[in-house]
Amino acid sequence: MQVVLGPNRYGKAETRLVRVVRDGDVHHLKDVNVSTSLSGEMEQVHLTGDNAAVLPTDTQKNTVYAFAKKHGLRQIEDFALLLAAHFVDTQPTIHHARVEIEEYLWRRLPERGHSFVRDGTEVRTCLVHHDRDGRSTVVSGLKDLVVLNSTGSEFHGFLQDGYTTLRPTTDRVLATAVTARWRHARPPADYGPSHARVRQDLLDAFAGTHSLSLQQTLYAMGERALTGGPGLCEIRFAMPNRHHFLVDLAPFGLDNDNEVYYAADRPYGLIEGSVLREDAPDAGFAWE
Amino acid sequence: MQVVLGPNRYGKAETRLVRVVRDGDVHHLKDVNVSTSLSGEMEQVHLTGDNAAVLPTDTQKNTVYAFAKKHGLRQIEDFALLLAAHFVDTQPTIHHARVEIEEYLWRRLPERGHSFVRDGTEVRTCLVHHDRDGRSTVVSGLKDLVVLNSTGSEFHGFLQDGYTTLRPTTDRVLATAVTARWRHARPPADYGPSHARVRQDLLDAFAGTHSLSLQQTLYAMGERALTGGPGLCEIRFAMPNRHHFLVDLAPFGLDNDNEVYYAADRPYGLIEGSVLREDAPDAGFAWE
Amino acid sequence: MQVVLGPNRYGKAETRLVRVVRDGDVHHLKDVNVSTSLSGEMEQVHLTGDNAAVLPTDTQKNTVYAFAKKHGLRQIEDFALLLAAHFVDTQPTIHHARVEIEEYLWRRLPERGHSFVRDGTEVRTCLVHHDRDGRSTVVSGLKDLVVLNSTGSEFHGFLQDGYTTLRPTTDRVLATAVTARWRHARPPADYGPSHARVRQDLLDAFAGTHSLSLQQTLYAMGERALTGGPGLCEIRFAMPNRHHFLVDLAPFGLDNDNEVYYAADRPYGLIEGSVLREDAPDAGFAWE
Amino acid sequence: MQVVLGPNRYGKAETRLVRVVRDGDVHHLKDVNVSTSLSGEMEQVHLTGDNAAVLPTDTQKNTVYAFAKKHGLRQIEDFALLLAAHFVDTQPTIHHARVEIEEYLWRRLPERGHSFVRDGTEVRTCLVHHDRDGRSTVVSGLKDLVVLNSTGSEFHGFLQDGYTTLRPTTDRVLATAVTARWRHARPPADYGPSHARVRQDLLDAFAGTHSLSLQQTLYAMGERALTGGPGLCEIRFAMPNRHHFLVDLAPFGLDNDNEVYYAADRPYGLIEGSVLREDAPDAGFAWE
């Protein structure tokens, strides 16, 4: 039997970088987690351990820090593109680079120039690819945006089989932690305002949709993100249904008119879906 | 050899409760995690498995939900006191109750009555005791309040021995996740505003202290909390020093003038300390 | 602009199931975590919230429990196949089912019939697909198999650029947490022995390979798994390089001849790769 | 109002250390996580930021690594004692040292000299104190020892009140993750065999006790540990009741004769208790 090497990549994951920019007494903070991953002429390192084509993951980490100094770090998408292009353009054995960045958000304290407090559980994300044919792709996104509607959500009219015990409801709590990732038809002038706009559209659609199912809410959020401003051609979601079960208080002689809930951990519903423009260009390796 | 039963307690940990109160179209949300723990005449259950003195942890859980309906849930300290007193007052075999509550914070979306987004990593906490002699204690607190000063922090003049390699610095990043717990000399009229006041004082002191050590910052925070408003007699802190190490960019021909940092995970400094009024009454079992 | 629904699926994630089988006084334990995910005629639920085609995730959970009773649960791959086929075969609106199972391992205590202790951090996994055209795929695997070689690992001869500071080494610690997933050319008679054989081959190859790079070790493990027994046609790995850095003890007048290491958390190398038979059949949706 | 500094300590938490000892081709591995904490003349550092009495946490970390080289690392209790005494004995401003160590267990692969696999979720622990009056205390322990009895456990005869809905049972699954910590009346000749003996006694008592309540099992485990061998005078437990709820399969026309369980996450019972010799000497600061 003949055995061969299949698809592979290697890199440095989770390089934690904080950059401080001083604008007089006012400081600006960027707090990111960078994962780089390279592929190319990697047969020999796998077959014989010959590292001649391998740029060490330690060097990738150093490059992340050095680039934050040399080139600055404003929008994570731009920083990721810079890194990805660098690896491919400077090392002939590297044919493809993948860079993923998480950004943690901080809020400057009022009337303080250099004091900050972490702002929410939410994380801004991006995933960038660049190959030696000069093709680049950018996926922007966010995760752990935790939202809840305390009414305005129903669930009924579903399929029933011999294993169905769930009763329909016309008023329930709907809660989720949104993971959303999107790509632009063409790059926006600035990824910052584009991100803020999409995020706001997602919140507006989540809050503004009278929901008959979490899928309907997901689609409404995607539609709003695509039509609420210029540029997006596709958006993908993963939304766990963080169940809030109404507690049965009847044994204690109490009503429970949608007031007291048990917030469950596991199991949970998990809704995944994508919304795209009919004319969305091919994604290539963007999502990989 | 004679073997005996020592101190013991049992209870239901982490009962997750969400309560929604509808004020017309405007909803109010409380999202808490309640842990109850009871002790008393528990010799027999340990020695022979006779459960006659045991109020099941399942019943404790039910009580949490039923009380949220019957009595409402405004300030976690009041709800914890109510629960603790209930267990001790209604079961002769239960001599002491301990109730710990975490509260997760949500922010209502602007112009939305019933849509919420999780507000930060920070958690509000309380720890309450009540015994059959009618003694009650209340500890209020918060945890995971993540803060960072990007300048205004020094560290030098420390002890040196044969294992010291650290170099002194006059400008570093100071970051921590504050856990603070405090008790009042006498109960405040309302635990809500008291908590908000202490939290703000902690932030003000963290941001406003030019720090020569994290201990100095801790003490300044405690002093401010004790003197910034009425009522506190003691505050205790646990503050990990979330190290941000300046990356050495010299090998790449680059300066690094307090701009690019590596945010480390482990190991980390851990500073624990308390600040109290000289005339603080005895804490009893408050902190246990 | 026309917006359309793209690929989507929904299901119940992380249904925790423990099954006890009594063979006289000797009990057998299966401890699993089942995630089911369905897709099919889901346009209406997304566009209008009409749930007529939706089998609730709650029903999926019930089915998992009922099937564990009705059909038993021996090998996770067989149980997953049974579930996947059931959803597709009984609901015309469901065209495709994906079932993922994690199994946690327990060891019966010696000379005890019904007492068990959790056996390691390692998790056995499977991922199964079934569609209405009758196509089924099975991926078996494991994760969190944590292994370490305290010698027999080198790293040198790598690319150097202006950001390289790493020094070559001819003796280092090599540690990783193996995630491996594989598919068979044709189904084995019994997935249990097949899993045990592959696991042993992975350990043997990890331990028996004098390693010039983690990639070389990965390939050797894959090759051994494919050639060490019948049936596998492809195996995929994700192996974080859990760095153990030699501590510089020179400032304290001490040598450190590969004796004292700092076990780092982040960043870490991440090596991903696959090994396959040249004649491996097309994987279809097996890995999705 | 006069505000004063209360109890305080500071140190370096979670220094991750792996030590390899080469005995010819056979290697020995120790994998530990060391947390040191010092207290003493710390008024000035809190009040003015004067660090003259402060041994930096970075130095503490260095000391851990250097000591692993200079003195070796066999039993974690002995290593902790050595560290604690060092800090107090060499720095007049340090009056008290607290050292906590976790040890992660590895198993050497059969017939391999230097290849290891992580052995279970279980962690060995110790907590050591030393002060400048020469008093030392040692607490040994373990945590995350996950055990399950699939029968031989009952729960009935408990208190009932208006919030009780739990039904009594004469056959249930009993599962927990044992945290146990103990102290010796006098130090054992070797902490290694003592630990192994206690661990085995805990397993034997857990498996061998027909349980009417988790408290009864806890007490039996403590009694066995105290009487099963020489030296222990006190043992403390924290044991979460990892509930396994029998799934109601009646809606699907199926019996469930203690066969199919739902393993729940939260809430969970939490049983804490201690067992001690009647003549146990005062614990001093041992448990703090």
Side-chain angles (χ1 to χ4, degrees):
Chain A
M1 175 180 34
Q2 191 63 26
V3 164
V4 294
L5 177 67
N8 62 85
R9 63 190 183 197
Y10 79 102
K12 191 65 113 192
E14 303 208 32
T15 295
R16 292 281 291 110
L17 158 67
V18 171
R19 181 166 176 265
V20 176
V21 175
R22 302 177 177 219
D23 181 8
D25 285 347
V26 176
H27 290 200
H28 301 272
L29 198 66
K30 283 296 226 189
D31 182 0
V32 299
N33 193 16
V34 181
S35 297
T36 58
S37 202
L38 309 180
S39 45
E41 297 168 17
M42 296 296 147
E43 289 75 16
Q44 285 312 306
V45 65
H46 284 88
L47 299 181
T48 67
D50 177 345
N51 291 299
V54 174
L55 188 72
T57 67
D58 188 76
T59 301
Q60 297 175 39
K61 176 202 70 182
N62 288 344
T63 308
V64 168
Y65 287 120
F67 268 46
K69 172 65 188 178
K70 280 174 84 166
H71 304 288
L73 166 47
R74 294 175 57 81
Q75 302 302 329
I76 53 176
E77 289 89 347
D78 297 322
F79 189 65
L81 281 166
L82 210 61
L83 282 166
H86 163 78
F87 293 122
V88 172
D89 295 350
T90 60
Q91 296 297 346
T93 60
I94 306 301
H95 300 174
H96 191 112
R98 179 188 190 275
V99 180
E100 199 168 0
I101 303 184
E102 296 187 336
E103 180 178 0
Y104 311 114
L105 308 176
W106 295 81
R107 192 172 64 241
R108 196 184 292 109
L109 289 174
E111 298 171 47
R112 300 285 180 182
H114 58 261
S115 294
F116 303 84
V117 61
R118 264 294 296 274
D119 196 13
T121 54
E122 183 187 343
V123 174
R124 181 174 165 183
T125 65
C126 79
L127 169 61
V128 159
H129 285 270
H130 183 77
D131 74 4
R132 64 170 171 173
D133 297 325
R135 290 176 300 188
S136 295
T137 60
V138 176
V139 170
S140 299
L142 55 80
K143 65 177 184 179
D144 294 328
L145 175 63
V146 180
V147 289
L148 181 152
N149 287 331
S150 54
T151 189
S153 172
E154 315 185 19
F155 188 57
H156 45 73
F158 43 77
L159 281 176
Q160 310 244 0
D161 69 8
Y163 301 106
T164 303
T165 56
L166 186 74
R167 280 180 292 189
T169 176
T170 58
D171 195 356
R172 63 171 183 172
V173 166
L174 188 71
T176 188
V178 179
T179 296
R181 302 192 301 151
W182 55 87
R183 57 187 181 104
H184 293 81
R186 70 183 58 87
D190 187 330
Y191 282 101
S194 176
H195 188 277
R197 196 273 300 165
V198 173
R199 180 186 183 279
Q200 189 58 49
D201 278 345
L202 295 178
L203 287 176
D204 285 347
F206 178 82
T209 302
H210 185 94
S211 173
L212 302 176
S213 70
L214 185 47
Q215 282 93 329
Q216 185 187 21
T217 296
L218 179 153
Y219 189 82
M221 293 168 71
E223 189 175 37
R224 186 78 58 94
L226 288 177
T227 61
L232 267 56
C233 63
E234 183 178 6
I235 185 164
R236 296 188 176 185
F237 295 96
M239 288 170 38
N241 194 343
R242 295 200 168 177
H243 304 303
H244 286 65
F245 296 116
L246 209 57
V247 180
D248 179 11
L249 300 177
F252 322 124
L254 298 167
D255 286 337
N256 188 2
D257 187 16
N258 288 335
E259 183 173 349
V260 175
Y261 295 90
Y262 160 54
D265 295 310
R266 294 193 295 184
Y268 53 92
L270 179 57
I271 314 299
E272 298 166 279
S274 57
V275 184
L276 66 169
R277 285 171 51 168
E278 217 170 23
D279 62 351
D282 181 64
F285 40 57
W287 297 101
E288 287 164 23
Chain B
M1 175 177 33
Q2 192 61 29
V3 164
V4 295
L5 178 66
N8 62 85
R9 63 190 183 197
Y10 80 101
K12 191 64 112 193
E14 304 208 31
T15 294
R16 294 280 292 110
L17 159 66
V18 170
R19 182 168 175 265
V20 176
V21 175
R22 303 177 176 221
D23 181 9
D25 285 347
V26 176
H27 290 199
H28 302 272
L29 197 66
K30 284 296 227 188
D31 181 359
V32 299
N33 193 16
V34 182
S35 296
T36 58
S37 202
L38 310 179
S39 44
E41 298 168 16
M42 297 297 148
E43 289 75 15
Q44 285 312 305
V45 64
H46 285 89
L47 298 181
T48 67
D50 178 345
N51 292 297
V54 174
L55 188 72
T57 67
D58 188 76
T59 301
Q60 298 175 39
K61 175 202 71 181
N62 287 345
T63 309
V64 168
Y65 288 120
F67 269 47
K69 172 65 189 179
K70 280 175 84 165
H71 304 289
L73 165 47
R74 294 176 55 82
Q75 301 301 329
I76 53 175
E77 289 89 346
D78 297 323
F79 189 66
L81 280 166
L82 210 61
L83 282 166
H86 163 78
F87 293 122
V88 172
D89 295 351
T90 59
Q91 295 298 346
T93 60
I94 306 300
H95 300 173
H96 191 113
R98 178 189 191 275
V99 181
E100 199 168 0
I101 303 183
E102 296 187 337
E103 179 178 1
Y104 311 113
L105 308 175
W106 296 81
R107 192 173 61 241
R108 196 184 292 107
L109 290 174
E111 298 172 47
R112 300 286 181 181
H114 57 261
S115 294
F116 303 85
V117 61
R118 263 294 296 275
D119 196 13
T121 55
E122 185 187 340
V123 174
R124 181 174 165 184
T125 65
C126 79
L127 170 62
V128 158
H129 286 271
H130 182 78
D131 74 3
R132 64 170 171 174
D133 297 325
R135 289 175 300 188
S136 294
T137 60
V138 176
V139 169
S140 299
L142 56 78
K143 65 178 184 179
D144 294 329
L145 176 63
V146 180
V147 288
L148 181 152
N149 287 331
S150 53
T151 188
S153 171
E154 316 185 19
F155 189 56
H156 45 74
F158 42 77
L159 281 175
Q160 309 245 0
D161 69 7
Y163 301 105
T164 303
T165 55
L166 187 72
R167 280 181 289 189
T169 175
T170 56
D171 195 355
R172 64 171 182 172
V173 165
L174 188 71
T176 188
V178 180
T179 296
R181 302 192 302 152
W182 56 87
R183 57 188 181 104
H184 293 81
R186 71 184 58 87
D190 187 330
Y191 282 101
S194 176
H195 188 278
R197 196 274 299 165
V198 173
R199 181 186 182 280
Q200 189 57 50
D201 278 345
L202 296 179
L203 286 177
D204 286 347
F206 178 82
T209 302
H210 184 94
S211 173
L212 302 176
S213 70
L214 185 46
Q215 282 94 328
Q216 186 186 20
T217 296
L218 178 153
Y219 188 82
M221 292 167 72
E223 188 176 39
R224 186 78 58 95
L226 288 177
T227 61
L232 267 56
C233 64
E234 183 179 4
I235 186 164
R236 296 187 177 185
F237 295 96
M239 289 171 37
N241 194 342
R242 295 200 169 177
H243 304 303
H244 286 66
F245 297 116
L246 208 57
V247 180
D248 179 12
L249 301 177
F252 322 124
L254 297 168
D255 286 336
N256 188 1
D257 187 17
N258 288 335
E259 184 172 350
V260 175
Y261 295 91
Y262 160 54
D265 294 310
R266 294 193 296 183
Y268 53 92
L270 179 57
I271 314 299
E272 298 167 279
S274 58
V275 184
L276 67 168
R277 285 170 52 167
E278 215 170 25
D279 63 350
D282 182 63
F285 40 57
W287 298 102
E288 286 165 23
Chain C
M1 175 181 30
Q2 193 62 26
V3 165
V4 296
L5 178 66
N8 62 85
R9 63 188 184 199
Y10 80 101
K12 191 64 108 191
E14 304 207 30
T15 295
R16 293 281 291 110
L17 159 67
V18 171
R19 181 165 176 266
V20 176
V21 175
R22 302 175 177 222
D23 180 8
D25 284 348
V26 176
H27 290 199
H28 301 272
L29 197 66
K30 283 296 226 187
D31 182 1
V32 298
N33 193 16
V34 182
S35 296
T36 57
S37 202
L38 310 180
S39 45
E41 298 168 17
M42 296 297 148
E43 290 73 17
Q44 285 311 308
V45 64
H46 284 89
L47 299 180
T48 67
D50 178 344
N51 291 298
V54 174
L55 189 72
T57 67
D58 188 75
T59 302
Q60 297 175 38
K61 175 201 69 182
N62 288 345
T63 308
V64 168
Y65 288 120
F67 268 46
K69 172 65 189 176
K70 282 174 82 166
H71 303 288
L73 165 46
R74 293 177 55 84
Q75 302 302 329
I76 54 176
E77 289 89 347
D78 296 323
F79 189 65
L81 280 166
L82 209 61
L83 282 166
H86 164 78
F87 293 123
V88 172
D89 294 350
T90 60
Q91 296 298 346
T93 60
I94 306 300
H95 300 173
H96 191 113
R98 177 189 191 275
V99 180
E100 200 169 359
I101 303 184
E102 296 187 335
E103 180 178 0
Y104 311 114
L105 308 176
W106 295 81
R107 192 173 61 239
R108 196 184 294 107
L109 289 174
E111 298 170 50
R112 301 287 181 181
H114 57 262
S115 294
F116 302 85
V117 61
R118 263 295 295 275
D119 194 15
T121 55
E122 184 186 343
V123 175
R124 180 175 166 183
T125 64
C126 79
L127 169 62
V128 159
H129 287 270
H130 183 78
D131 74 4
R132 63 169 171 174
D133 298 324
R135 289 176 299 189
S136 294
T137 60
V138 175
V139 169
S140 300
L142 55 79
K143 65 177 183 179
D144 294 330
L145 176 63
V146 180
V147 288
L148 181 151
N149 287 332
S150 54
T151 190
S153 171
E154 315 186 20
F155 189 56
H156 45 74
F158 43 76
L159 280 175
Q160 309 246 1
D161 70 6
Y163 301 105
T164 302
T165 56
L166 186 74
R167 279 181 291 189
T169 176
T170 56
D171 195 357
R172 64 172 183 172
V173 166
L174 188 72
T176 187
V178 179
T179 297
R181 302 192 301 152
W182 56 87
R183 57 187 180 105
H184 293 81
R186 72 183 59 86
D190 187 330
Y191 283 102
S194 177
H195 189 276
R197 196 273 300 166
V198 174
R199 180 186 182 279
Q200 189 58 49
D201 278 344
L202 296 178
L203 287 176
D204 285 347
F206 178 81
T209 302
H210 184 93
S211 173
L212 303 175
S213 71
L214 185 46
Q215 282 94 329
Q216 185 187 19
T217 296
L218 179 152
Y219 188 82
M221 293 167 70
E223 190 176 36
R224 186 78 58 95
L226 288 177
T227 60
L232 267 56
C233 63
E234 183 179 6
I235 186 164
R236 297 188 176 184
F237 295 95
M239 289 174 31
N241 194 342
R242 294 200 169 177
H243 304 304
H244 286 66
F245 296 116
L246 209 57
V247 180
D248 179 11
L249 300 176
F252 321 125
L254 298 168
D255 286 337
N256 188 2
D257 187 16
N258 288 336
E259 182 173 351
V260 175
Y261 295 90
Y262 160 55
D265 294 311
R266 294 193 295 185
Y268 52 93
L270 180 57
I271 314 299
E272 299 166 278
S274 57
V275 183
L276 65 170
R277 285 171 50 168
E278 216 170 24
D279 62 350
D282 182 62
F285 39 58
W287 297 102
E288 286 165 23
Chain D
M1 175 180 31
Q2 192 62 26
V3 165
V4 296
L5 178 66
N8 62 86
R9 63 189 183 196
Y10 80 102
K12 191 65 109 192
E14 303 207 29
T15 294
R16 293 281 291 109
L17 158 67
V18 171
R19 181 166 175 265
V20 176
V21 175
R22 301 175 178 221
D23 181 8
D25 284 347
V26 175
H27 290 200
H28 302 272
L29 197 67
K30 283 297 229 188
D31 181 1
V32 298
N33 192 15
V34 182
S35 296
T36 59
S37 201
L38 310 179
S39 45
E41 298 169 15
M42 297 296 148
E43 291 74 18
Q44 286 312 307
V45 65
H46 285 90
L47 299 181
T48 68
D50 178 344
N51 291 298
V54 174
L55 188 71
T57 67
D58 188 76
T59 301
Q60 298 174 40
K61 176 201 70 183
N62 287 345
T63 308
V64 169
Y65 288 120
F67 268 46
K69 172 65 189 176
K70 280 174 83 165
H71 304 288
L73 165 46
R74 294 175 56 84
Q75 301 302 329
I76 54 176
E77 290 89 345
D78 297 322
F79 189 65
L81 280 167
L82 209 62
L83 282 166
H86 164 78
F87 292 123
V88 172
D89 295 350
T90 58
Q91 295 297 347
T93 59
I94 305 301
H95 300 174
H96 191 113
R98 178 188 191 276
V99 180
E100 201 169 359
I101 303 184
E102 296 185 337
E103 179 178 1
Y104 310 114
L105 308 175
W106 296 81
R107 192 173 63 240
R108 195 184 294 108
L109 289 175
E111 297 170 49
R112 299 286 180 182
H114 57 262
S115 294
F116 302 85
V117 61
R118 263 294 295 275
D119 195 14
T121 56
E122 184 187 343
V123 175
R124 181 174 166 184
T125 65
C126 79
L127 169 61
V128 159
H129 286 270
H130 183 78
D131 75 3
R132 63 169 171 175
D133 297 325
R135 290 176 299 189
S136 295
T137 59
V138 176
V139 170
S140 299
L142 55 79
K143 64 177 185 180
D144 295 329
L145 176 63
V146 181
V147 288
L148 182 151
N149 287 332
S150 54
T151 189
S153 171
E154 316 186 19
F155 188 57
H156 45 73
F158 43 77
L159 281 175
Q160 310 245 0
D161 70 7
Y163 301 106
T164 302
T165 56
L166 187 73
R167 280 182 289 189
T169 176
T170 56
D171 196 355
R172 63 170 181 173
V173 166
L174 188 71
T176 187
V178 179
T179 296
R181 301 193 301 152
W182 56 87
R183 57 187 180 103
H184 293 81
R186 70 184 60 88
D190 187 330
Y191 283 101
S194 177
H195 189 278
R197 196 273 300 165
V198 174
R199 180 186 182 280
Q200 189 58 49
D201 278 345
L202 296 178
L203 287 176
D204 285 346
F206 178 81
T209 302
H210 185 95
S211 173
L212 302 175
S213 71
L214 186 46
Q215 282 95 328
Q216 185 187 18
T217 296
L218 178 153
Y219 188 81
M221 293 167 71
E223 190 176 36
R224 185 78 57 96
L226 288 178
T227 60
L232 266 58
C233 63
E234 184 179 5
I235 185 164
R236 297 187 176 185
F237 295 96
M239 289 171 37
N241 194 342
R242 295 201 169 176
H243 304 303
H244 286 66
F245 296 117
L246 209 57
V247 180
D248 179 11
L249 301 176
F252 322 124
L254 298 167
D255 285 337
N256 187 3
D257 187 17
N258 289 335
E259 183 171 351
V260 176
Y261 295 90
Y262 160 54
D265 295 310
R266 295 192 296 185
Y268 53 93
L270 180 57
I271 314 299
E272 299 167 280
S274 56
V275 184
L276 65 170
R277 286 171 51 168
E278 215 171 26
D279 62 350
D282 182 63
F285 39 58
W287 298 101
E288 286 165 22

